[in-house]
């Protein structure tokens, strides 16, 4: 079974290259994680599914303007994965449960496109 999610681009403060104070980063993580959870719950409710491990994920960072370095893009996604796990759509984000492939590309609108594939 496949699930497609279009999620907002992570805030710049979640990039490993940014140097926010801890309160600013904590608030950004909380907000982005919650937003990703809500969007994953909406996708899950439409199909009432839960993907079982192992789950394969294809993530495309669509950048508007300068492209992000792929390693930094991956590092900024921790809150995204935690939100999707919180929604119950996938069982966890450890390497034995989730296998991720990442691509960074340019586009007209900044977004993170996630395609999840697993057994339901």
């Amino acid at each position: 079974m496949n699930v497609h999610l279009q999620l907002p681009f992570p805030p710049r403060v979640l990039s490993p290259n940014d140097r926010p104070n801890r309160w600013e980063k904590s608030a950004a993580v909380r907000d982005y994680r919650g937003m990703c959870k809500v969007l994953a719950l909406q996708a899950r409710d439409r199909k009432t599914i839960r993907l079982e491990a192992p789950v394969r994920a294809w993530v495309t960072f669509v950048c508007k303007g300068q492209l992000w370095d792929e390693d930094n893009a991956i590092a900024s996604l921790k809150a995204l994965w935690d939100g999707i796990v919180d929604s119950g759509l996938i069982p966890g984000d450890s390497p034995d449960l989730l296998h991720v492939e990442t691509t960074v590309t340019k586009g007209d609108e900044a977004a993170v496109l996630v395609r999840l594939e697993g057994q339901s």
Side-chain angles (χ1 to χ4, degrees):
M1 165 143 306
N2 288 330
V3 176
H4 297 268
L5 302 170
Q6 181 171 343
L7 303 165
F9 209 74
R12 185 58 136 182
V13 70
L14 298 185
S15 167
N17 290 336
D18 202 50
R19 298 291 180 250
N21 68 49
R22 64 182 176 179
W23 306 113
E24 183 182 8
K25 183 166 184 175
S26 174
V29 166
R30 181 191 62 236
D31 294 346
Y32 190 63
R33 181 178 181 162
M35 187 181 324
C36 293
K37 177 183 177 180
V38 167
L39 293 171
L41 280 169
Q42 289 173 351
R44 183 175 181 221
D45 286 347
R46 277 184 259 138
K47 300 178 182 177
T48 59
I49 55 170
R50 176 184 166 91
L51 300 176
E52 296 301 324
V55 175
R56 294 196 61 200
W58 291 268
V59 178
T60 303
F61 270 85
V62 182
C63 301
K64 182 178 179 181
Q66 183 179 358
L67 291 176
W68 278 35
D69 174 85
E70 190 170 338
D71 291 332
N72 292 335
I74 293 167
S76 71
L77 288 184
K78 179 61 178 150
L80 177 143
W81 293 121
D82 289 343
I84 294 174
V85 170
D86 291 347
S87 76
L89 184 59
I90 61 175
D93 61 356
S94 62
D96 59 326
L97 302 175
L98 181 66
H99 306 283
V100 181
E101 294 181 32
T102 307
T103 307
V104 178
T105 188
K106 275 194 168 207
D108 294 333
E109 185 179 330
V112 179
L113 308 176
V114 179
R115 180 169 65 100
L116 299 167
E117 182 180 284
Q119 302 296 319
S120 60

